[in-house]
Amino acid sequence: MGIVTSVPDYKNAAITLSVIVPYFNEQDVLPELHARLTAVLDQLPDSSEIIYIDDGSTDDSLRLVNRFESLTSSIQSVALSRNFGKESAMSAGLEHSNGLAVIVIDADLQDPPELIPEMLAKWREGYDIVNMQRRERLGETWFKRQSAAAFYRLLNSMVKSEIPENVGDFRLLAREVVDHINALPERNRYMKGIFAWPGFKQATIQFQRDARFCGETKWNYFKLIGLAVDGITSFSIRPLRIATVLGSLIALSAFIYGMMIVAKTMLFGDPVTGYPSMMVVQLALGGIQLLCVGVMGEYIGRIFIETKQRPLYLIQSIEQKQPQQTFQSMEKRA
Ligand code: UDP
Ligand code: MG
Protein backbone atom coordinates (compact mmCIF):
# COMPACT_ATOMS: atom_id res chain seq x y z
CA MET A 1 0.00 0.00 0.00
CA GLY A 2 1.33 3.39 -0.89
CA ILE A 3 1.62 5.51 2.21
CA VAL A 4 2.95 8.58 0.47
CA THR A 5 0.31 10.17 -1.65
CA SER A 6 0.30 13.50 -3.36
CA VAL A 7 -3.29 14.11 -2.40
CA PRO A 8 -3.45 15.60 1.09
CA ASP A 9 -5.57 13.57 3.47
CA TYR A 10 -7.99 16.09 4.90
CA LYS A 11 -10.55 15.20 7.48
CA ASN A 12 -13.27 15.86 5.01
CA ALA A 13 -11.87 16.35 1.54
CA ALA A 14 -15.36 16.56 0.09
CA ILE A 15 -15.77 20.07 1.42
CA THR A 16 -14.69 22.85 -0.89
CA LEU A 17 -15.49 25.95 1.11
CA SER A 18 -15.42 26.66 4.84
CA VAL A 19 -16.93 29.91 6.08
CA ILE A 20 -15.80 30.91 9.57
CA VAL A 21 -17.99 33.25 11.60
CA PRO A 22 -16.57 34.35 14.95
CA TYR A 23 -19.20 36.09 17.04
CA PHE A 24 -19.59 37.62 20.46
CA ASN A 25 -23.05 38.67 21.66
CA GLU A 26 -24.62 39.08 18.24
CA GLN A 27 -28.10 37.62 18.84
CA ASP A 28 -29.83 40.44 16.94
CA VAL A 29 -27.91 40.00 13.72
CA LEU A 30 -27.12 36.26 13.58
CA PRO A 31 -30.47 35.13 12.08
CA GLU A 32 -30.15 37.72 9.32
CA LEU A 33 -26.53 36.74 8.72
CA HIS A 34 -27.40 33.05 8.53
CA ALA A 35 -30.21 33.74 6.08
CA ARG A 36 -28.01 35.80 3.77
CA LEU A 37 -25.05 33.45 4.07
CA THR A 38 -27.00 30.28 3.32
CA ALA A 39 -28.78 32.03 0.44
CA VAL A 40 -25.36 32.58 -1.13
CA LEU A 41 -23.95 29.14 -0.30
CA ASP A 42 -27.05 27.33 -1.60
CA GLN A 43 -26.47 28.91 -5.00
CA LEU A 44 -22.85 27.71 -5.20
CA PRO A 45 -21.98 24.58 -7.17
CA ASP A 46 -19.58 23.72 -4.31
CA SER A 47 -20.00 21.85 -1.07
CA SER A 48 -19.58 24.09 1.93
CA GLU A 49 -19.58 24.22 5.70
CA ILE A 50 -20.30 27.09 8.05
CA ILE A 51 -18.26 27.21 11.24
CA TYR A 52 -19.78 29.40 13.90
CA ILE A 53 -17.39 30.20 16.73
CA ASP A 54 -19.07 31.47 19.86
CA ASP A 55 -16.52 33.63 21.64
CA GLY A 56 -18.10 33.32 25.07
CA SER A 57 -21.34 35.16 24.29
CA THR A 58 -23.47 35.95 27.30
CA ASP A 59 -26.69 36.49 25.36
CA ASP A 60 -28.84 34.08 23.39
CA SER A 61 -26.47 33.85 20.42
CA LEU A 62 -25.29 30.28 20.98
CA ARG A 63 -28.78 28.87 21.46
CA LEU A 64 -29.87 30.58 18.27
CA VAL A 65 -26.93 29.24 16.30
CA ASN A 66 -27.48 25.71 17.56
CA ARG A 67 -30.93 25.83 16.01
CA PHE A 68 -29.71 27.01 12.60
CA GLU A 69 -30.27 24.69 9.65
CA SER A 70 -28.97 24.75 6.14
CA LEU A 71 -30.04 23.16 2.90
CA THR A 72 -26.64 22.51 1.36
CA SER A 73 -23.99 23.38 3.98
CA SER A 74 -23.00 21.44 7.01
CA ILE A 75 -22.83 23.51 10.17
CA GLN A 76 -20.35 23.34 13.01
CA SER A 77 -21.17 25.32 16.09
CA VAL A 78 -18.12 25.60 18.30
CA ALA A 79 -18.44 27.32 21.66
CA LEU A 80 -15.37 28.61 23.45
CA SER A 81 -15.45 28.42 27.24
CA ARG A 82 -15.24 32.20 27.67
CA ASN A 83 -14.48 35.35 25.69
CA PHE A 84 -10.98 34.81 24.35
CA GLY A 85 -11.11 37.65 21.80
CA LYS A 86 -11.74 37.63 18.09
CA GLU A 87 -8.16 36.66 17.23
CA SER A 88 -8.42 33.44 19.24
CA ALA A 89 -11.92 32.73 17.95
CA MET A 90 -10.61 32.97 14.39
CA SER A 91 -7.77 30.61 15.24
CA ALA A 92 -10.32 28.14 16.57
CA GLY A 93 -12.25 28.47 13.33
CA LEU A 94 -9.18 27.88 11.17
CA GLU A 95 -8.29 24.80 13.17
CA HIS A 96 -11.77 23.35 12.77
CA SER A 97 -12.06 24.08 9.08
CA ASN A 98 -11.98 21.29 6.48
CA GLY A 99 -12.50 23.18 3.25
CA LEU A 100 -10.01 23.64 0.45
CA ALA A 101 -10.78 27.35 0.61
CA VAL A 102 -11.52 29.11 3.87
CA ILE A 103 -13.28 32.45 4.31
CA VAL A 104 -13.43 34.43 7.53
CA ILE A 105 -16.40 36.77 7.82
CA ASP A 106 -17.71 39.06 10.57
CA ALA A 107 -21.08 38.26 12.08
CA ASP A 108 -22.34 41.83 12.02
CA LEU A 109 -22.92 41.87 8.23
CA GLN A 110 -20.27 44.54 7.67
CA ASP A 111 -18.69 42.05 5.30
CA PRO A 112 -21.33 41.20 2.69
CA PRO A 113 -21.65 37.40 2.19
CA GLU A 114 -22.78 38.12 -1.38
CA LEU A 115 -19.11 38.65 -2.31
CA ILE A 116 -18.21 35.02 -1.63
CA PRO A 117 -18.65 33.83 -5.25
CA GLU A 118 -16.28 36.56 -6.44
CA MET A 119 -13.71 35.51 -3.85
CA LEU A 120 -14.00 31.87 -4.92
CA ALA A 121 -13.52 32.88 -8.54
CA LYS A 122 -10.21 34.55 -7.65
CA TRP A 123 -9.16 31.44 -5.75
CA ARG A 124 -9.97 29.32 -8.83
CA GLU A 125 -7.74 31.63 -10.85
CA GLY A 126 -4.90 30.38 -8.69
CA TYR A 127 -4.60 32.93 -5.88
CA ASP A 128 -3.89 31.53 -2.42
CA ILE A 129 -5.07 34.56 -0.48
CA VAL A 130 -7.87 36.90 -1.50
CA ASN A 131 -7.81 40.09 0.57
CA MET A 132 -10.94 42.17 0.80
CA GLN A 133 -10.09 45.84 0.89
CA ARG A 134 -12.64 48.36 2.12
CA ARG A 135 -13.17 51.22 -0.23
CA GLU A 136 -15.03 53.39 2.23
CA ARG A 137 -15.73 52.91 5.87
CA LEU A 138 -19.41 53.63 6.35
CA GLY A 139 -20.69 54.21 9.84
CA GLU A 140 -17.26 54.93 11.26
CA THR A 141 -16.25 58.26 12.72
CA TRP A 142 -13.72 60.60 11.11
CA PHE A 143 -11.42 60.05 14.07
CA LYS A 144 -11.55 56.25 13.70
CA ARG A 145 -10.74 56.49 9.97
CA GLN A 146 -7.81 58.83 10.58
CA SER A 147 -6.37 56.79 13.43
CA ALA A 148 -6.72 53.61 11.37
CA ALA A 149 -4.80 55.19 8.47
CA ALA A 150 -2.05 56.45 10.78
CA PHE A 151 -1.77 53.04 12.36
CA TYR A 152 -1.32 51.24 9.03
CA ARG A 153 1.42 53.69 8.04
CA LEU A 154 3.24 53.14 11.34
CA LEU A 155 2.81 49.37 11.19
CA ASN A 156 4.03 49.03 7.63
CA SER A 157 7.06 51.19 8.32
CA MET A 158 8.03 48.65 10.96
CA VAL A 159 7.24 45.17 9.65
CA LYS A 160 8.84 43.26 6.83
CA SER A 161 5.83 41.50 5.35
CA GLU A 162 3.57 44.15 3.86
CA ILE A 163 0.29 44.27 5.79
CA PRO A 164 -2.32 45.53 3.33
CA GLU A 165 -4.09 48.72 4.36
CA ASN A 166 -7.81 48.71 5.09
CA VAL A 167 -8.00 44.95 4.83
CA GLY A 168 -9.79 43.53 7.82
CA ASP A 169 -10.18 39.88 8.64
CA PHE A 170 -12.63 39.26 5.80
CA ARG A 171 -10.60 37.20 3.34
CA LEU A 172 -10.18 33.87 1.61
CA LEU A 173 -7.29 31.55 2.41
CA ALA A 174 -6.35 28.45 0.48
CA ARG A 175 -6.01 25.24 2.49
CA GLU A 176 -2.24 25.30 2.18
CA VAL A 177 -2.04 28.73 3.81
CA VAL A 178 -4.46 27.73 6.57
CA ASP A 179 -2.30 24.70 7.36
CA HIS A 180 0.79 26.90 7.63
CA ILE A 181 -1.02 29.34 9.90
CA ASN A 182 -2.37 26.54 12.08
CA ALA A 183 1.18 25.25 12.50
CA LEU A 184 2.50 28.56 13.82
CA PRO A 185 3.44 28.05 17.44
CA GLU A 186 2.96 31.56 18.74
CA ARG A 187 0.34 32.45 21.31
CA ASN A 188 0.13 36.07 20.36
CA ARG A 189 -2.24 36.01 17.44
CA TYR A 190 -2.23 39.30 15.70
CA MET A 191 -4.24 37.99 12.77
CA LYS A 192 -3.70 40.84 10.32
CA GLY A 193 0.03 40.20 10.60
CA ILE A 194 -0.29 36.43 10.63
CA PHE A 195 -2.43 36.46 7.48
CA ALA A 196 0.19 38.56 5.70
CA TRP A 197 3.20 36.65 6.98
CA PRO A 198 3.09 33.50 4.75
CA GLY A 199 3.20 35.52 1.53
CA PHE A 200 1.93 33.30 -1.32
CA LYS A 201 0.00 34.57 -4.28
CA GLN A 202 -2.33 37.32 -3.16
CA ALA A 203 -5.20 39.08 -4.84
CA THR A 204 -7.13 42.06 -3.55
CA ILE A 205 -10.79 42.78 -4.17
CA GLN A 206 -12.19 46.17 -3.28
CA PHE A 207 -15.54 46.34 -1.59
CA GLN A 208 -17.86 48.69 0.17
CA ARG A 209 -17.90 47.95 3.87
CA ASP A 210 -21.40 48.39 5.19
CA ALA A 211 -22.26 49.88 8.52
CA ARG A 212 -22.93 47.45 11.33
CA PHE A 213 -26.35 45.80 10.86
CA CYS A 214 -27.20 46.57 14.48
CA GLY A 215 -25.61 46.71 17.88
CA GLU A 216 -22.28 48.31 18.64
CA THR A 217 -18.69 47.60 17.77
CA LYS A 218 -16.95 45.41 20.34
CA TRP A 219 -13.77 47.44 20.06
CA ASN A 220 -13.27 50.51 22.18
CA TYR A 221 -10.24 52.73 21.74
CA PHE A 222 -8.48 51.13 24.67
CA LYS A 223 -8.75 47.69 23.03
CA LEU A 224 -7.69 49.13 19.67
CA ILE A 225 -4.54 50.65 21.16
CA GLY A 226 -3.77 47.27 22.71
CA LEU A 227 -4.27 45.61 19.31
CA ALA A 228 -1.99 48.19 17.67
CA VAL A 229 0.79 47.58 20.23
CA ASP A 230 0.31 43.82 19.77
CA GLY A 231 0.53 44.23 16.02
CA ILE A 232 3.78 46.12 16.08
CA THR A 233 5.55 44.23 18.83
CA SER A 234 4.63 40.79 17.56
CA PHE A 235 5.87 41.46 14.05
CA SER A 236 8.80 43.78 14.47
CA ILE A 237 11.72 44.43 16.78
CA ARG A 238 12.22 47.86 15.30
CA PRO A 239 11.08 49.69 18.47
CA LEU A 240 13.96 47.97 20.29
CA ARG A 241 16.31 49.10 17.55
CA ILE A 242 15.00 52.65 17.81
CA ALA A 243 15.62 52.52 21.56
CA THR A 244 19.21 51.45 20.92
CA VAL A 245 19.84 54.15 18.34
CA LEU A 246 18.20 56.81 20.50
CA GLY A 247 20.26 55.69 23.49
CA SER A 248 23.51 55.85 21.51
CA LEU A 249 22.75 59.29 20.08
CA ILE A 250 21.92 60.69 23.49
CA ALA A 251 24.99 59.12 25.08
CA LEU A 252 27.13 60.64 22.33
CA SER A 253 25.68 64.12 22.73
CA ALA A 254 25.99 63.82 26.52
CA PHE A 255 29.66 63.00 26.08
CA ILE A 256 30.26 66.00 23.79
CA TYR A 257 28.34 68.29 26.10
CA GLY A 258 30.37 66.94 29.05
CA MET A 259 33.63 67.73 27.28
CA MET A 260 32.38 71.22 26.55
CA ILE A 261 31.57 71.82 30.20
CA VAL A 262 34.98 70.53 31.30
CA ALA A 263 36.74 72.79 28.78
CA LYS A 264 34.61 75.77 29.77
CA THR A 265 35.30 75.23 33.47
CA MET A 266 39.02 74.95 32.87
CA LEU A 267 39.09 78.12 30.78
CA PHE A 268 36.65 80.36 32.61
CA GLY A 269 36.28 78.89 36.10
CA ASP A 270 33.05 77.61 37.60
CA PRO A 271 30.38 80.12 38.55
CA VAL A 272 27.29 78.32 39.80
CA THR A 273 24.88 78.68 36.92
CA GLY A 274 23.18 76.29 34.55
CA TYR A 275 20.17 75.18 36.56
CA PRO A 276 17.85 75.33 33.51
CA SER A 277 20.11 73.30 31.25
CA MET A 278 20.60 70.75 34.02
CA MET A 279 16.86 70.32 34.48
CA VAL A 280 16.26 70.03 30.76
CA VAL A 281 18.90 67.37 30.34
CA GLN A 282 17.68 65.42 33.37
CA LEU A 283 14.04 65.47 32.34
CA ALA A 284 14.83 64.51 28.75
CA LEU A 285 17.07 61.65 29.81
CA GLY A 286 14.62 60.44 32.42
CA GLY A 287 11.75 60.48 29.96
CA ILE A 288 13.60 58.63 27.25
CA GLN A 289 14.86 56.04 29.70
CA LEU A 290 11.37 55.34 30.96
CA LEU A 291 10.11 55.05 27.39
CA CYS A 292 12.83 52.57 26.45
CA VAL A 293 12.24 50.52 29.58
CA GLY A 294 8.55 50.49 28.68
CA VAL A 295 9.30 49.24 25.15
CA MET A 296 11.50 46.51 26.54
CA GLY A 297 8.77 45.64 29.01
CA GLU A 298 6.36 45.08 26.12
CA TYR A 299 8.70 42.54 24.58
CA ILE A 300 9.47 40.84 27.87
CA GLY A 301 5.72 40.58 28.41
CA ARG A 302 5.41 38.86 25.02
CA ILE A 303 8.17 36.43 25.94
CA PHE A 304 6.47 35.74 29.26
CA ILE A 305 3.18 34.93 27.54
CA GLU A 306 4.87 32.73 24.93
CA THR A 307 6.84 30.74 27.54
CA LYS A 308 3.67 29.76 29.36
CA GLN A 309 2.49 27.89 26.27
CA ARG A 310 -1.13 28.19 27.25
CA PRO A 311 -3.68 27.14 24.64
CA LEU A 312 -5.22 29.95 22.60
CA TYR A 313 -8.72 28.97 23.57
CA LEU A 314 -10.69 26.27 25.34
CA ILE A 315 -13.69 24.61 23.79
CA GLN A 316 -16.81 24.07 25.78
CA SER A 317 -18.98 22.33 23.21
CA ILE A 318 -19.19 21.46 19.54
CA GLU A 319 -22.36 20.70 17.67
CA GLN A 320 -22.41 19.44 14.13
CA LYS A 321 -25.24 19.34 11.68
CA GLN A 322 -25.37 17.80 8.23
CA PRO A 323 -26.99 19.63 5.33
CA GLN A 324 -30.67 18.91 4.93
CA GLN A 325 -30.21 18.15 1.30
CA THR A 326 -27.25 15.97 0.44
CA PHE A 327 -24.81 17.34 -1.99
CA GLN A 328 -25.07 15.50 -5.28
CA SER A 329 -23.41 17.48 -7.99
CA MET A 330 -19.94 16.32 -6.92
CA GLU A 331 -19.55 13.71 -9.64
CA LYS A 332 -21.01 15.98 -12.25
CA ARG A 333 -18.20 18.46 -11.76
CA ALA A 334 -15.40 15.95 -11.33
N1 UDP B 1 -15.94 39.42 18.02
C1 UDP B 1 -15.54 38.25 18.66
N2 UDP B 1 -14.95 38.35 19.89
C2 UDP B 1 -14.73 39.55 20.51
C3 UDP B 1 -15.12 40.72 19.83
C4 UDP B 1 -15.72 40.62 18.59
O1 UDP B 1 -15.70 37.16 18.14
O2 UDP B 1 -14.20 39.55 21.62
C5 UDP B 1 -16.59 39.33 16.69
C6 UDP B 1 -17.88 40.14 16.56
O3 UDP B 1 -19.00 39.43 17.04
C7 UDP B 1 -17.94 40.35 15.06
C8 UDP B 1 -16.48 40.49 14.68
O4 UDP B 1 -15.73 39.88 15.74
O5 UDP B 1 -18.47 39.23 14.40
C9 UDP B 1 -16.07 41.92 14.49
O6 UDP B 1 -16.35 42.65 15.66
P1 UDP B 1 -16.85 44.16 15.62
O7 UDP B 1 -17.92 44.32 14.60
O8 UDP B 1 -17.19 44.54 17.02
O9 UDP B 1 -15.52 44.90 15.15
P2 UDP B 1 -15.38 46.04 14.03
O10 UDP B 1 -16.19 45.62 12.85
O11 UDP B 1 -15.88 47.27 14.66
O12 UDP B 1 -13.91 46.07 13.74
MG1 MG C 1 -18.07 45.13 12.84
Side-chain angles (χ1 to χ4, degrees), residues 78 93 113 126-127 139 165 182 211 265 314:
V78 178
Y127 290 99
E165 190 164 332
N182 285 343
T265 316
L314 296 178

Side-chain angles (χ1 to χ4, degrees), residues 143-144 147-148 151 154 190 219-233 298 302:
F143 186 65
K144 173 143 189 200
S147 49
F151 167 66
L154 180 69
Y190 179 67
W219 298 92
N220 53 34
Y221 268 99
F222 204 62
K223 273 195 185 173
L224 279 176
I225 291 171
L227 192 71
V229 173
D230 268 355
I232 291 170
T233 50
E298 281 291 331
R302 291 291 105 89

Side-chain angles (χ1 to χ4, degrees), residues 210-260:
D210 297 331
R212 217 172 204 288
F213 181 72
C214 61
E216 295 219 319
T217 175
K218 306 287 183 298
W219 298 92
N220 53 34
Y221 268 99
F222 204 62
K223 273 195 185 173
L224 279 176
I225 291 171
L227 192 71
V229 173
D230 268 355
I232 291 170
T233 50
S234 48
F235 279 85
S236 165
I237 56 163
R238 192 158 292 175
L240 288 177
R241 184 111 357 116
I242 293 173
T244 314
V245 171
L246 213 60
S248 322
L249 283 180
I250 286 167
L252 187 69
S253 17
F255 180 72
I256 295 172
Y257 186 52
M259 298 301 277
M260 276 163 57

